Amino acid sequence: MGAQGPVATSTTARVAPWLLVVAVVVVALNQRPAVVGVAPLLGDLRADTGLSSALGGLLTSLPVLCFGAFAPVAPRLARKVGLETAVAASLVLLAVGTALRLLTPVGALYGGTVVAGGAIAVANVLVPAYVKREFAQPGLVMGVYSAALNIGAALAAGLTVPLGRALGLDWRDALAMWGVLAVLALAVWLPVAGTGRAARGAVAAPGASWGLLRHDLGRRVTLFLGMQSTQFYGLSAWLPTLLTDAGLPTAEGGLLLAVATVTGAVGAFLAPTLAGRLQQGSRGQRPLVVLLLACYAAGLAGLLVLPATGTLVWVSLFGVAQGGGFALALTLIVLRSATPLTAARLGGVAQCLGYLVAATGPVVLGALHDLTGGWSWSLGLLLVLLVPMAWAGWGAARDVVLPEPSRA
């Protein structure tokens, strides 16, 4: 693995590549627990605060809203202070936001969630840019990065409740303990990546280029990311509650969410490799899109019809679909772009709009539950949303590329 990009003094010139991979992984592990860790605690959280299902769902939607709202800010921050310093700052903010949730007022719970979500948004955009700059062949590292995102989510889903109980923590302490992981990541990131002062300006593009949405391909890539993220955040927010309502123990619901994210790590690792191999074929990545949509449909249908029977199969299928779908969405941004600059701009557009759409998922599903008293309508909606996702994925998987926009 070698360095690439316009940076005169690359990090890889002074640090072993495997250490850079470790640094990327520990940062990636932090990019989902602050969001996913809320789901297993929603029952206790709502009982203590009196929040409705819709307001409880907002706690998982707010970070996703921040992913979209702050995505265009990340490249500008990296240009000003250096890419590595910006990632380090995101870890500091993540720890601060997580700690704010310890405060008693409900407003602090939401405020801390916003700070944590903004911090994750910066890392969401800049860590892939760092990988692209530092590795001549970033595909494998992106697969590891995508898998680490899912593993971090799995840790939060599976360990938040049992670890909190083992340590005698209430729901606030159990939620805030993930801030320790951000501090540990900062301790690894700074010695390995440095501050990046010599690399200021390496992120040449100021942000997203909205003109890309004039192209059908740009719209489809953006919609595919948005629909995939809606599926993930919508179901992840309520899966433990859904399974508890179906008769499963509360702790088991959290563990099954962890199973979904672990199988998602497998899908996330494999999808970029398969997408690359399919790139030279006349059908592009369309066979992979069909396979992932079939996994989505089977998993959701199983949870709708037989939530307490074969549950492990349903959540595993959904996990493979969501992990592979997210990794495919990131890969399509790269494959459908003629230049790295276009990829950076398309990534800004797709993450901004895609995550803003996805943020409505937990709230809408929670509101439907409040209105109907069950989860059938919520799962039915997710099944219906597979239709626009299929349309977007089918078009985005074509072996064509977007032209370079004339201006940002």
Side-chain angles (χ1 to χ4, degrees):
M1 295 180 182
Q4 72 172 15
V7 184
T9 56
S10 173
T11 305
T12 51
R14 54 183 175 80
V15 177
W18 70 269
L19 285 175
L20 296 182
V21 175
V22 171
V24 167
V25 167
V26 295
V27 174
L29 289 173
N30 279 274
Q31 290 178 245
R32 294 300 178 263
V35 183
V36 178
V38 175
L41 297 169
L42 268 180
D44 292 341
L45 186 155
R46 290 176 56 210
D48 185 34
T49 61
L51 294 176
S52 66
S53 295
L55 288 176
L58 183 60
L59 282 173
T60 55
S61 293
L62 272 178
V64 189
L65 280 170
C66 293
F67 293 173
F70 290 97
V73 176
R76 292 180 172 86
L77 179 62
R79 185 178 179 86
K80 183 175 182 180
V81 303
L83 196 154
E84 291 87 344
T85 303
V87 173
S90 76
L91 292 170
V92 173
L93 286 174
L94 178 57
V96 170
T98 306
L100 283 174
R101 291 167 157 179
L102 286 168
L103 301 180
T104 303
V106 174
L109 180 63
Y110 285 93
T113 299
V114 170
V115 173
I120 296 170
V122 172
N124 277 344
V125 175
L126 297 185
V127 174
Y130 180 79
V131 171
K132 187 175 182 65
R133 193 192 73 190
E134 294 294 337
F135 296 93
Q137 297 179 350
L140 178 60
V141 182
M142 282 303 299
V144 173
Y145 167 75
S146 300
L149 291 175
N150 283 270
I151 292 171
L155 291 173
L159 296 181
T160 298
V161 171
L163 188 57
R165 289 177 178 174
L167 297 175
L169 306 177
D170 63 13
W171 66 265
R172 291 183 186 276
D173 295 327
L175 193 57
M177 68 181 177
W178 294 107
V180 176
L181 186 61
V183 176
L184 293 175
L186 184 65
V188 174
W189 178 261
L190 283 177
V192 173
T195 61
R197 291 178 179 175
R200 290 181 184 177
V203 181
S209 178
W210 303 106
L212 291 171
L213 293 178
R214 290 196 293 266
H215 300 275
D216 178 71
L217 185 57
R219 293 192 295 270
R220 294 206 191 205
V221 170
T222 299
L223 181 60
F224 184 79
L225 175 62
M227 290 295 96
Q228 184 280 326
S229 298
T230 300
Q231 295 282 344
F232 172 66
Y233 289 107
L235 189 60
S236 293
W238 295 111
L239 182 61
T241 306
L242 182 156
L243 296 177
T244 300
D245 290 350
L248 278 68
T250 302
E252 189 172 334
L255 288 174
L256 284 167
L257 178 57
V259 168
T261 48
V262 167
T263 56
V266 176
F269 182 76
L270 294 176
T273 300
L274 293 174
R277 291 181 178 180
L278 291 169
Q279 177 67 3
Q280 303 303 320
S282 59
R283 293 177 295 178
Q285 289 73 40
R286 285 176 171 175
L288 183 55
V289 170
V290 172
L291 176 61
L292 292 173
L293 285 167
C295 290
Y296 269 118
L300 290 171
L303 289 172
L304 175 62
V305 179
L306 297 169
T309 304
T311 312
L312 182 62
V313 176
W314 313 139
V315 298
S316 296
L317 284 170
F318 182 83
V320 170
Q322 64 85 11
F326 177 70
L328 177 60
L330 294 181
T331 304
L332 289 175
I333 290 172
V334 175
L335 296 179
R336 300 290 83 89
S337 301
T339 67
L341 178 58
T342 303
R345 289 169 165 171
L346 180 58
V349 169
Q351 289 197 44
C352 181
L353 296 183
Y355 283 132
L356 289 176
V357 171
T360 64
V363 177
V364 172
L365 297 188
L368 283 174
H369 174 265
D370 287 344
L371 288 172
T372 63
W375 295 103
S376 296
W377 280 91
S378 299
L379 290 169
L381 175 61
L382 291 178
L383 282 167
V384 170
L385 290 179
L386 291 178
V387 176
M389 184 176 175
W391 176 84
W394 190 259
R398 291 175 297 159
D399 187 16
V400 295
V401 295
L402 283 164
E404 176 66 18
S406 58
R407 60 184 178 88

